[in-house]
Amino acid sequence: MANLLYQQIEMLSREKHIEPEIVVSAIEDAMVVAARKYYKTEEDLRGKFNAETGQVDVFSVLTVVEEVADPTREISLTDARKKNPAAEVGAEILTNKPTDVLGRIAAQTAKQVILQKVREAERDTIFNEYHNRVGELVTVIVKRAEGPDLIVDMGRTEARLPKREQSKLETYNIGERLRVVIRMVDRAAKGPQVIVSRADAALVQRLFEMEVPEIYDGTVQIRAAAREPGERTKVAVFSRDKDVDPVGACVGMKGMRVQSIIRELRGEKIDIIPYSEETVAFAQKALSPAKVTRVQITDPESHKLEVIVEDSQLSLAIGKKGQNVRLASKLIGWDIDIKSEEEKRREIEEQMTALTAPTTPLTALAGVGPKTIEKIEAAGITSLEQLAGMTPEQLMEIPGIGEKMVDKIYQAVNQFYEGGGTAAATEAPAETGEAAAEVGESASVSEVETTEAESTAEEVTETPAAESQDVSPEAAPTVSSADAVTEAEPADESEKVPEKHEEENA
């Protein structure tokens, strides 16, 4: 009986890849749980497996003390020496608890405890074995499907292939052999805790290590890899030996090496790019097969690049649904902004136009007080053109500008542009009524002066020809029409201005 029980323990240990001592400890703990449930006691119980007899004994443990505080766990020195004359303070007195009286319910409880302990030991063993093998290439067999996920057999344990780690263009059949990389080991998972992947970029790197001897021995290194599973992968390679071409080593004679990897990935396209320490040169090569005109670093701190390509190369550089530029950005670790030559030229022209375009000061707005202008200028708006391009919401974000003031500003801007871009006379606010009246008077005077000047010029022009002939050029003084206008202005202004005011009053 003893040999049979221990044989079962060893068989279970080999099957679950755990030590026999772990199984024995699980059996001892299970018997303690069963005995405590049967005896309904709070005593400190301890189990012990006898390998010779195959019997699991349960003992009640009492600690020898001078003064007993807990009778269920402690015993006085006097009582202890009645059972064991050699007992001393701190020693333990073991009392055997019969286990042959344990019934079916206790046996079921013991079984559950044993299974639980063995399962926990098995999971600890798997974690300790695989958590240091993350990124390693392994071969698995598709075992079954659990919803969108696949359960694969790794030989010693099962692993999970989640939907997110599957290639988009691949389909899998039960019993099919796959090459996968160990993605992670999840100790808290309820099911298989090893997570494998067919979509990770590390899979491509491990496949290159298997197919290319130069990568395996370290002569050629894979510095970076970016992948969109099932569609395209970009791999940056670098050679430590100047006589070895890294791209040629990975491609192989007539493309044999890379073709075997493509077949394993079910037709996924692979771009092999020479690695460069210089960001600009690396970005030019990463955007292949497109030809790049120039690359400029726009923001070194946030890692942003601006790439200029010919108009015919723009779609090729961007790729299908932005795939090429997206992979290139992942590969070099920089954000890439691609523009064509035509787009860049228009952008430069717009910038030059903005720099050379005349700006109108905000003081040209009639009807907007100086305090309001100061608030607008404090927000960084210094020209009327900038103000005209703002939305009402943007204006209301300026401190001190409300809805009524926004309406007044828009009316002033509209009046400015309706007047041909000049500061025409407009109705001023109530607090500036006197200033507006003065502006109106000066405008009226200017109109009268212009009218009188025109009439004087006409009189000079309509001088009879006979009169002009009687006066010789030497004797006749030379009087221009402008001089005539200047001389006529004082007399006409005194005569005409009152008439203009009378018309306005009427």
Side-chain angles (χ1 to χ4, degrees):
M1 181 64 182
N3 293 335
L4 179 60
L5 179 57
Y6 200 76
Q7 288 176 3
Q8 295 293 328
I9 292 175
E10 290 183 340
M11 185 184 301
L12 182 63
S13 301
R14 288 194 298 269
E15 180 183 351
K16 300 297 182 180
H17 304 285
I18 57 179
E19 297 295 329
E21 291 77 9
I22 297 177
V23 181
V24 171
S25 176
I27 294 174
E28 292 175 349
D29 293 341
M31 292 301 294
V32 169
V33 172
R36 179 174 283 110
K37 188 172 184 179
Y38 175 80
Y39 289 109
K40 298 179 181 180
T41 179
E42 295 297 329
E43 295 177 319
D44 185 11
L45 301 180
R46 183 179 302 171
K48 186 173 181 59
F49 175 74
N50 191 333
E52 296 179 358
T53 62
Q55 180 69 26
V56 181
D57 299 321
V58 177
F59 299 94
S60 173
V61 181
L62 295 175
T63 303
V64 180
V65 294
E66 293 180 356
E67 295 183 1
V68 177
D70 185 2
T72 60
R73 296 176 181 271
E74 297 174 349
I75 187 173
S76 65
L77 180 60
T78 303
D79 295 337
R81 285 181 174 175
K82 292 179 181 178
K83 297 182 179 181
N84 185 5
E88 298 291 340
V89 175
E92 294 181 342
I93 302 299
L94 302 181
T95 304
N96 190 12
K97 289 278 188 181
T99 57
D100 53 354
V101 295
L102 301 180
R104 181 180 58 83
I105 297 178
Q108 290 292 333
T109 303
K111 177 182 177 181
Q112 292 175 2
V113 172
I114 292 173
L115 292 177
Q116 181 180 357
K117 294 288 185 179
V118 170
R119 191 180 300 114
E120 290 177 357
E122 182 184 10
R123 293 176 66 83
D124 290 339
T125 303
I126 292 173
F127 179 82
N128 294 331
E129 179 179 356
Y130 288 100
H131 83 281
N132 291 325
R133 297 175 60 185
V134 174
E136 183 178 326
L137 182 69
V138 294
T139 302
V140 299
I141 300 175
V142 180
K143 194 171 183 180
R144 65 182 184 275
E146 290 185 359
D149 300 345
L150 294 178
I151 304 301
V152 296
D153 186 6
M154 298 181 64
R156 294 186 59 178
T157 184
E158 291 182 346
R160 182 179 297 274
L161 180 62
K163 180 66 176 178
R164 66 179 182 275
E165 299 295 344
Q166 300 175 17
S167 180
K168 298 178 182 178
L169 303 182
E170 293 181 355
T171 56
Y172 310 99
N173 301 318
I174 304 300
E176 183 178 2
R177 298 177 68 89
L178 298 175
R179 285 180 177 177
V180 296
V181 290
I182 299 176
R183 185 73 173 82
M184 62 179 295
V185 181
D186 186 5
R187 195 168 194 170
K190 293 183 179 180
Q193 54 186 345
V194 180
I195 309 299
V196 296
S197 173
R198 285 277 297 177
D200 198 284
L203 175 64
V204 182
Q205 298 185 41
R206 300 291 89 78
L207 291 174
F208 268 106
E209 291 175 1
M210 291 185 61
E211 295 293 336
V212 182
E214 290 83 355
I215 294 179
Y216 183 78
D217 62 19
T219 305
V220 176
Q221 297 177 343
I222 298 178
R223 290 294 184 90
R227 185 184 182 200
E228 289 196 358
E231 298 182 9
R232 184 180 289 273
T233 298
K234 286 182 180 289
V235 180
V237 293
F238 175 78
S239 176
R240 300 173 62 184
D241 188 348
K242 63 180 181 180
D243 296 330
V244 177
D245 178 18
V247 177
C250 294
V251 173
M253 185 178 294
K254 297 182 181 180
M256 292 179 60
R257 293 177 175 176
V258 72
Q259 285 299 326
S260 63
I261 298 175
I262 292 175
R263 285 193 298 270
E264 175 64 31
L265 299 177
R266 315 284 177 91
E268 183 175 317
K269 299 177 182 178
I270 299 177
D271 295 338
I272 304 174
I273 300 164
Y275 177 80
S276 176
E277 296 288 347
E278 298 181 359
T279 304
V280 173
F282 191 22
Q284 289 179 336
K285 296 172 184 177
L287 286 168
S288 63
K291 296 180 180 179
V292 178
T293 304
R294 62 183 181 274
V295 178
Q296 182 180 359
I297 298 177
T298 57
D299 191 348
E301 294 182 357
S302 58
H303 287 193
K304 290 185 179 180
L305 294 175
E306 184 181 68
V307 177
I308 309 300
V309 298
E310 297 181 359
D311 297 348
S312 59
Q313 296 287 313
L314 182 61
S315 60
L316 186 61
I318 295 175
K320 183 180 179 182
K321 297 180 181 179
Q323 183 187 84
N324 192 54
V325 65
R326 189 165 54 250
L327 285 174
S329 179
K330 291 180 182 178
L331 190 69
I332 67 177
W334 287 62
D335 293 335
I336 300 177
D337 184 15
I338 293 185
K339 297 179 182 178
S340 65
E341 293 280 4
E342 180 64 21
E343 290 176 349
K344 187 62 177 177
R345 184 184 63 80
R346 287 199 301 265
E347 181 180 333
I348 295 175
E349 288 179 354
E350 291 175 359
Q351 292 176 355
M352 294 300 295
T353 303
L355 291 174
T356 58
T359 57
T360 307
L362 295 177
T363 54
L365 284 177
V368 179
K371 293 184 178 180
T372 304
I373 291 177
E374 290 178 2
K375 295 176 182 178
I376 297 174
E377 290 178 345
I381 311 301
T382 57
S383 66
L384 194 144
E385 287 75 14
Q386 289 179 288
L387 185 63
M390 296 181 67
T391 62
E393 292 78 9
Q394 292 174 335
L395 282 175
M396 291 183 66
E397 291 178 358
I398 300 175
I401 303 296
E403 293 184 4
K404 294 183 179 180
M405 184 56 66
V406 170
D407 295 338
K408 187 180 293 185
I409 292 172
Y410 271 97
Q411 290 177 6
V413 172
N414 293 335
Q415 289 176 2
F416 176 83
Y417 284 107
E418 288 174 359
T422 59
T426 58
E427 295 182 3
E431 60 270 18
T432 58
E434 295 179 0
E438 293 177 2
V439 173
E441 290 179 2
S442 62
S444 301
V445 172
S446 300
E447 293 176 359
V448 173
E449 291 175 356
T450 305
T451 305
E452 290 299 318
E454 292 177 354
S455 63
T456 306
E458 291 177 357
E459 291 176 0
V460 174
T461 305
E462 293 177 358
T463 304
E467 294 179 3
S468 62
Q469 291 176 357
D470 293 341
V471 182
S472 61
E474 294 94 356
T478 303
V479 180
S480 64
S481 60
D483 295 337
V485 172
T486 306
E487 295 175 358
E489 284 177 358
D492 294 339
E493 180 179 358
S494 60
E495 296 175 1
K496 297 297 184 177
V497 170
E499 295 177 4
K500 185 66 176 180
H501 283 296
E502 290 175 2
E503 292 175 2
E504 289 178 355
N505 296 331

